[in-house]
Amino acid sequence: MAYKFKCVDCGDVSYSAAPLELQKFPRCEKCGGRILRVQPPMKLGEILIALGMMSSKDLKRALEVQSGMTERLVLGKLLVKLNLIGMSEVERALQIQREMMSGSHTQ
Ligand SMILES: [Zn+2]
């Protein structure tokens, strides 16, 4: 199965037989923008890392905290609570996630 990718900035769609490595996202050939995986869909944490908003180390730490909670917070809120990122960054990532999955991003 091919993986599907999309540029955050220009909406250019591309396919690849191999997944992208989280730490080494290539840039869009057309506009130089960030490329995210659309299929299979990325999780919020993956998007935050891909956009350079947080490190994979911070995400791992947050997921550990989350798994130890009796009443689990959604990841976005937990990251803000741990002061790893700001609320505006979470909202931006969630917006990108919605746009990528709905396919309504400007072409
Ligand atoms: Zn682009």
Side-chain angles (χ1 to χ4, degrees):
M1 192 191 97
Y3 294 86
K4 185 181 175 186
F5 302 94
K6 196 170 177 182
C7 171
V8 176
D9 297 307
C10 72
D12 187 49
V13 174
S14 56
Y15 296 88
S16 169
L20 299 185
E21 287 182 50
L22 276 183
Q23 300 292 351
K24 292 184 268 178
F25 279 90
R27 292 292 179 149
C28 174
E29 285 178 12
K30 291 184 181 171
C31 74
R34 299 269 185 175
I35 295 186
L36 297 182
R37 197 184 66 233
V38 183
Q39 206 59 250
M42 293 174 86
K43 291 175 180 166
L44 179 66
E46 291 182 293
I47 292 176
L48 288 166
I49 292 170
L51 295 176
M53 290 177 180
M54 67 182 296
S55 67
S56 56
K57 198 177 151 193
D58 284 343
L59 176 63
K60 195 167 173 251
R61 195 183 129 215
L63 290 174
E64 280 169 9
V65 171
Q66 191 185 38
S67 68
M69 295 174 87
T70 46
E71 207 172 312
R72 286 196 190 187
L73 275 177
V74 292
L75 185 63
K77 283 184 181 168
L78 179 64
L79 293 172
V80 173
K81 203 180 168 195
L82 294 173
N83 287 319
L84 291 173
I85 54 171
M87 197 62 220
S88 60
E89 288 168 306
V90 171
E91 281 169 1
R92 166 97 177 110
L94 285 171
Q95 189 195 347
I96 287 171
Q97 191 180 36
R98 274 195 302 272
E99 285 171 356
M100 300 295 274
M101 302 319 147
S102 68
S104 66
H105 197 272
T106 322
Q107 292 298 310

